């Protein structure tokens, strides 16, 4: 579905507005809201597969057998009885018992699915009030979602988790690991089979992203993997079970404090471990865990109070112990951990000497909603080939990020792929690296070819033909000439360099270089077109001021704006994907792993020992040379400033509301 991001924001805006105008705090509101998204998504998946299931049902004597739960489970969907279907709930009139109906819907699902028993919100709806509940039901029945395809509601569920985490609506927001971090873990360990465990599973994001990875392989996650999780917070377990169910998945999630409990011990060893555990915990009772089989490398240190001085290496030891002989692990950890001294350094040294520490990735600050500090991603691989056993791949990704809001950064999908491609080269998978470069260039050429210059020039002629402004005509002539030049250059680059070029490294570099010239032209043309539109707008405004045909002029200007937007978006995307291909080719010109200053280095055991067994990437890769930013975009910089101002304004509104409430309470 197009513009799903806009739909997510609109739904959140409505839901959060209702919360702000009710008596509920975020921590009271988030679970019933997530429950309604769960119901709506379950209904969407139900409708999507229902007709196909009915068409395949056997019949005897003209009588078709009834639908069963098993029919839907095989299609990654939940069977819904009539009373649990969302259209039934939306149709309940004002004055009806909406809360009772939603509770009945949840109870019917729990009856049919034992894995969800006790997980779905029920009594919480009695607290919402009939009007608020009715508005929420109508909000999640948005007309734009009536024909939602793909995993749109799965995305919306994840988006709402993100927003509630930002508000610290539950457990201080610690229940949620940002999606781009999880996807980076998945891209490195590639969990495509067997048993996957997350001993600090939060809302289940590791499982969901693992399933997405398998789905991209055109496979059914339920046929390939089994999920096991541990989580201490009962409410978070409910979130995780709903999160799995909303994506058509199931998992064995146990309530446990993972330091002391190991409920899945009999299910191990595991093929994959993924986790974002609490950082720097100093309250673990050393006496309780000192004989735990999972402490392969011993306790990292005990303080005078009998507590483990820092729990980071307890976690790391546990995760390593869970793995099978060929297992891989991906872990989010405090950046302090990789160079910690004392007993922690001894544990780290022992871990390195196993040869299982595989990759280290440094992440800049502001990737998390609840903490601003930087973090690192640790990767273990017990199945590493012998020639890599004494080496660790260091990647410093602190300069790789996208700014989302004033407070939050993430990775774009392309940045994630670029980081993963470094690991591919490390593993000797140059073919995957070259395929990624080829995909970037193919997308760039395709986007360029998709430019509807004819439609743009038609709209431009309509605008210039209605005015005799000399500056407008002069700029329009320049733009028309540059459009022709770009079109000719793009055609030549495609026919002479892309379509006939071999898809080996040399051929891809030649194609990228040829398209790079076109991409530079595209960048300049985008600025010219935007300037032209602004000039046309000023000319139109002058017409309006003079009372000259404002209606017809506005229509022509709108048509030019639409045509301009379509063309420039394709041009920007063409250049965007070409620059990603170029980013990889400049750093790895031979399509082989090499040291890149400030980005990556393959470090052997001798160098690790010389550096106190530190696993901090920045200690080895050096500092990236300062590059002149030829792509500095003043308008983009202004947009970033606007994002900051918008964030500050929202915070100011929230603060003013809190002050007002506090004053009212004082007066009362």
């Amino acid at each position: 579905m197009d513009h799903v991001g806009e739909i997510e924001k609109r739904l959140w805006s409505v839901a959060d507005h209702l919360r702000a105008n009710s008596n509920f705090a975020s921590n009271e509101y988030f679970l019933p809201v997530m429950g309604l998204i769960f119901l709506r998504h379950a209904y969407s998946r139900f409708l999507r597969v229902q007709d196909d299931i009915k068409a395949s049902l056997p019949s005897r004597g003209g009588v078709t057998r009834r639908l069963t739960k098993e029919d839907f489970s095989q299609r990654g969907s939940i069977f819904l009885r009539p009373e649990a279907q969302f259209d039934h709930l939306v149709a309940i009139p004002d004055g009806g018992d909406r809360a009772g109906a939603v509770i009945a819907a949840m109870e019917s699902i729990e009856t049919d699915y034992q894995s969800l028993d006790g997980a779905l919100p029920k009594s919480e709806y009695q607290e919402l009030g009939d009007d608020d509940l009715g508005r929420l039901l109508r909000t999640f029945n948005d007309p734009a979602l009536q024909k939602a395809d793909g995993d749109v509601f799965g995305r919306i569920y994840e988006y709402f988790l993100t927003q509630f985490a930002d508000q610290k609506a539950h457990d201080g927001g610690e229940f949620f690991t940002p999606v781009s971090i999880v996807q980076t873990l998945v891209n490195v360990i590639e969990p495509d089979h067997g048993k996957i465990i997350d001993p600090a599973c939060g809302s289940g994001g590791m499982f969901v992203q693992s399933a997405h990875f398998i789905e991209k392989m055109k496979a059914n996650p339920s046929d390939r993997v089994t999920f096991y999780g541990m989580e201490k917070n009962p409410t978070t377990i409910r979130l995780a079970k709903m999160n799995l169910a909303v994506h058509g998945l199931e998992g064995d999630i146990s309530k446990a404090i993972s330091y002391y409990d190991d409920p899945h011990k009999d299910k191990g060893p595991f093929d994959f471990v993924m986790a974002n555990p609490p950082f720097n915990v100093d309250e673990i009772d050393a006496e309780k865990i000192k004989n735990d089989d999972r402490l392969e490398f011993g306790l990292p240190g005990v303080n005078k109070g009998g507590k483990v001085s820092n729990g980071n290496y307890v976690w790391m030891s546990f995760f390593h112990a869970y793995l099978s002989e060929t297992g891989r692990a991906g872990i989010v950890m405090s950046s302090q951990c990789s160079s910690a001294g004392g007993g922690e350094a001894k544990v780290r040294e022992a871990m390195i000497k196993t040869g299982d520490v595989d990759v280290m990735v440094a992440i800049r600050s502001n990737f998390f909603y609840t903490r601003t500090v930087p973090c690192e991603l640790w990767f273990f691989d017990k199945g590493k080939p012998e020639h890599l056993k004494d080496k660790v791949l260091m990647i410093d990704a602190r300069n790789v990020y996208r700014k989302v809001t004033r407070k939050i950064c993430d990775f774009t999908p392309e940045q994630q792929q670029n980081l993963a491609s470094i690991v591919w080269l490390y593993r000797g998978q140059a073919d995957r690296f070259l395929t990624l470069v080829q995909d970037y260039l193919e997308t760039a050429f395709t986007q360029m070819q998709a430019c509807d210059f004819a439609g743009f020039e038609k709209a431009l002629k309509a605008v210039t033909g209605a005015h005799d402004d000399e500056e407008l005509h002069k700029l329009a002539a320049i733009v028309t000439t540059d459009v022709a030049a770009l079109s000719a250059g793009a055609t030549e680059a495609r026919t002479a360099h892309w379509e006939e070029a071999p898809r080996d490294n040399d051929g891809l570099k030649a194609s990228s270089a040829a398209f790079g010239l076109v991409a530079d032209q595209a960048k300049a043309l985008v600025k010219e077109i935007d300037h032209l539109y602004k000039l046309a707008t000023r000319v139109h405004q002058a017409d309006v001021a003079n009372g000259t045909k404002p209606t017809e002029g506005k229509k022509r200007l709108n048509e030019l704006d639409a045509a301009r937007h379509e063309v420039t978006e394709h041009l920007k995307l063409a250049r965007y994907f070409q620059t990603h291909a170029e980013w990889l080719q400049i750093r790895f010109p031979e399509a082989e792993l090499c040291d890149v200053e400030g980005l990556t280095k393959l470090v052997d055991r001798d160098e690790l020992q010389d550096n106190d067994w530190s696993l901090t990437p920045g200690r080895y890769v050096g500092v990236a040379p300062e590059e002149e930013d030829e792509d500095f975009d003043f308008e983009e910089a202004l947009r970033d400033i606007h994002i900051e101002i918008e964030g500050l304004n929202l915070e100011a509104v929230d603060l003013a509301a809190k002050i007002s409430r506090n004053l009212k309470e004082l007066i009362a």
Side-chain angles (χ1 to χ4, degrees):
M1 172 182 283
D2 294 333
H3 311 305
V4 65
E6 295 174 10
I7 295 171
E8 291 168 343
K9 291 176 182 176
R10 184 170 74 250
L11 294 181
W12 171 257
S13 177
V14 173
D16 195 48
H17 177 75
L18 287 175
R19 194 270 313 161
N21 288 280
S22 71
N23 294 321
F24 294 100
S26 293
N27 63 335
E28 299 169 316
Y29 193 67
F30 90 103
L31 196 59
V33 168
M34 298 310 295
L36 291 182
I37 297 175
F38 163 79
L39 271 180
R40 183 62 183 83
H41 182 46
Y43 183 56
S44 177
R45 293 180 79 101
F46 174 87
L47 292 178
R48 193 160 66 243
V49 302
Q50 179 181 229
D51 290 342
D52 289 341
I53 293 173
K54 285 181 176 179
S56 64
L57 290 176
S59 61
R60 285 186 179 180
V63 178
T64 303
R65 75 161 172 80
R66 297 176 61 184
L67 295 169
T68 66
K69 181 181 77 171
E70 288 71 25
D71 294 325
F72 288 84
S73 297
Q74 292 168 6
R75 306 289 187 99
S77 179
I78 290 177
F79 172 67
L80 296 175
R81 303 182 191 187
E83 65 269 24
Q85 295 177 21
F86 208 79
D87 60 347
H88 165 72
L89 300 174
V90 173
I92 295 171
D94 291 340
D97 185 8
R98 289 192 176 105
V102 172
I103 292 169
M106 297 295 190
E107 288 175 340
S108 74
I109 294 172
E110 289 185 348
T111 298
D112 288 330
Y113 292 90
Q114 189 175 358
S115 63
L116 289 173
D117 187 26
L120 303 181
K122 294 181 285 293
S123 60
E124 291 86 351
Y125 295 105
Q126 296 285 10
E127 307 297 325
L128 272 183
D130 192 68
D131 290 343
D132 287 339
L133 185 51
R135 290 191 191 99
L136 279 173
L137 287 166
R138 290 190 291 274
T139 295
F140 295 122
N141 203 43
D142 190 297
L145 298 170
Q146 296 295 329
K147 296 182 179 180
D149 56 0
D151 195 27
V152 171
F153 268 98
R155 276 193 55 177
I156 291 171
Y157 190 93
E158 290 168 10
Y159 181 80
F160 270 64
L161 281 175
T162 300
Q163 298 305 307
F164 278 125
D166 193 25
Q167 291 188 347
K168 298 181 177 63
H170 165 63
D171 200 22
E174 296 288 346
F175 63 91
F176 183 76
T177 305
V179 172
S180 72
I181 291 284
V182 182
Q183 289 171 339
T184 302
L185 295 178
V186 168
N187 289 341
V188 174
I189 69 172
E190 300 183 317
D192 60 356
H193 69 277
K195 294 177 285 188
I196 301 174
I197 187 169
D198 181 349
C201 71
S203 55
M206 303 288 182
F207 303 140
V208 171
Q209 295 305 324
S210 297
H212 289 336
F213 178 78
I214 294 169
E215 288 166 349
K216 288 177 183 176
M217 301 165 58
K218 308 298 182 185
N220 185 346
S222 299
D223 295 337
R224 301 285 292 268
V225 293
T226 306
F227 299 121
Y228 297 91
M230 291 130 80
E231 172 57 46
K232 65 178 174 29
N233 188 298
T235 301
T236 306
I237 291 175
R238 297 169 71 185
L239 273 180
K241 289 185 175 182
M242 282 194 289
N243 197 10
L244 288 175
V246 88
H247 290 91
L249 306 169
E250 291 189 16
D252 184 350
I253 300 176
S254 299
K255 183 180 183 301
I257 298 176
S258 301
Y259 311 125
Y260 310 125
D261 306 317
D262 191 8
H264 301 305
K265 184 176 182 178
D266 296 338
K267 307 295 194 308
F270 297 90
D271 299 286
F272 299 95
V273 176
M274 303 176 69
N276 172 26
F279 298 171
N280 304 317
V281 175
D282 58 4
E283 290 296 321
I284 303 173
D285 190 325
E287 187 66 27
K288 285 185 179 181
I289 68 168
K290 66 180 182 180
N291 297 319
D292 196 306
D293 293 339
R294 296 172 293 176
L295 285 175
E296 300 174 312
F297 312 106
L299 285 169
V302 181
N303 61 29
K304 293 180 181 179
K307 307 293 185 182
V308 175
S309 51
N310 191 308
N312 292 341
Y313 278 95
V314 172
W315 284 117
M316 304 307 282
S317 297
F318 283 5
F319 300 150
H320 184 268
Y322 283 127
L323 291 173
S324 68
E325 291 181 358
T326 57
R328 289 178 177 174
I331 303 126
V332 186
M333 183 48 67
S334 164
S335 57
Q336 301 171 20
C337 183
S338 58
S339 289
E344 294 174 80
K346 292 179 181 178
V347 173
R348 185 171 63 250
E349 177 185 348
M351 294 179 74
I352 291 170
K353 287 180 176 178
T354 66
D356 299 334
V357 180
D358 193 31
V359 183
M360 295 291 299
V361 180
I363 309 290
R364 63 157 284 159
S365 57
N366 294 102
F367 264 69
F368 285 82
Y369 296 91
T370 57
R371 49 182 181 258
T372 59
V373 296
C375 70
E376 287 168 350
L377 309 184
W378 291 54
F379 296 95
F380 300 150
D381 185 355
K382 286 192 175 181
K384 280 169 68 173
E386 199 61 37
H387 71 282
L388 294 176
K389 278 289 186 180
D390 66 340
K391 296 178 175 63
V392 177
L393 178 65
M394 299 289 179
I395 300 175
D396 190 342
R398 288 177 296 175
N399 292 320
V400 180
Y401 64 93
R402 169 179 61 181
K403 192 166 187 177
V404 181
T405 70
R406 185 176 66 87
K407 298 185 294 183
I408 298 297
C409 298
D410 73 357
F411 293 133
T412 67
E414 292 71 36
Q415 288 169 337
Q416 292 176 39
Q417 288 297 302
N418 294 348
L419 294 174
S421 73
I422 301 173
V423 180
W424 299 340
L425 292 178
Y426 160 67
R427 292 174 178 162
Q429 300 170 331
D431 56 328
R432 297 179 73 181
F433 175 89
L434 292 174
T435 298
L436 178 61
V437 173
Q438 180 179 328
D439 288 346
Y440 283 155
L441 291 174
E442 181 63 54
T443 304
F445 278 108
T446 300
Q447 288 294 332
M448 187 64 73
Q449 202 170 27
C451 290
D452 181 16
F453 287 122
F456 169 73
E457 290 179 323
K458 180 181 178 182
L460 179 58
K461 286 179 181 178
V463 169
T464 56
H467 301 283
D468 57 4
D469 185 272
E470 183 178 349
E471 185 182 359
L472 179 62
H473 279 266
K474 184 177 179 180
L475 184 54
I478 292 172
V479 168
T480 302
T481 300
D482 289 346
V483 163
L486 177 65
S487 297
T491 300
E492 181 182 356
R494 185 172 189 95
T495 55
H497 296 280
W498 179 244
E499 292 177 351
E500 301 300 325
R503 295 306 190 248
D504 59 14
N505 190 42
D506 289 340
L508 291 173
K509 284 198 289 186
S511 295
S512 182
F515 192 83
L517 299 174
V518 177
D520 289 341
Q521 287 179 280
K523 178 185 176 183
L525 182 59
V526 167
K527 291 185 176 180
E528 287 179 1
I529 290 174
D530 286 344
H531 181 51
L532 175 65
Y533 174 73
K534 290 172 184 175
L535 179 58
T537 301
R538 287 201 299 271
V539 171
H540 168 69
Q541 288 170 343
D543 283 349
V544 172
N546 295 330
T548 309
K549 300 181 179 178
T551 304
E552 292 84 348
K554 183 63 175 175
K555 180 181 178 182
R556 288 191 294 267
L557 192 63
N558 287 342
E559 289 172 351
L560 177 62
D561 186 30
R564 168 192 73 108
H565 181 75
E566 181 178 352
V567 165
T568 56
E569 281 303 301
H570 285 303
L571 292 175
K572 289 175 183 177
L573 285 171
R575 189 168 187 277
Y576 173 80
F577 284 101
Q578 190 275 334
T579 55
H580 276 290
E582 188 176 67
W583 190 92
L584 292 173
Q585 291 174 322
I586 288 174
R587 287 157 180 78
F588 307 100
E590 303 305 318
E592 296 175 353
L593 183 67
C594 59
D595 294 346
V596 179
E597 194 78 10
L599 177 64
T600 188
K601 183 177 183 180
L602 187 60
V603 181
D604 63 26
R605 194 167 296 175
D606 289 340
E607 188 172 359
L608 291 169
Q609 184 173 2
D610 291 344
N611 285 274
D612 303 319
W613 304 101
S614 170
L615 288 171
T616 302
R619 195 160 177 171
Y620 300 95
V621 305
V623 179
E626 190 171 346
E627 299 177 5
E628 183 179 347
D629 189 1
E630 297 178 355
D631 292 330
F632 179 76
D633 189 327
F634 182 71
E635 290 190 10
E636 184 67 29
L638 282 178
R639 276 193 289 272
D640 284 345
I641 293 171
H642 176 70
I643 287 172
E644 291 217 23
I645 292 173
E646 202 171 47
L648 288 169
N649 285 339
L650 289 172
E651 290 177 15
V653 170
D654 287 342
L655 185 58
K658 289 177 183 176
I659 292 170
S660 177
R661 285 197 299 271
N662 290 339
L663 284 172
K664 286 179 181 177
E665 290 174 5
L666 286 171
I667 294 169

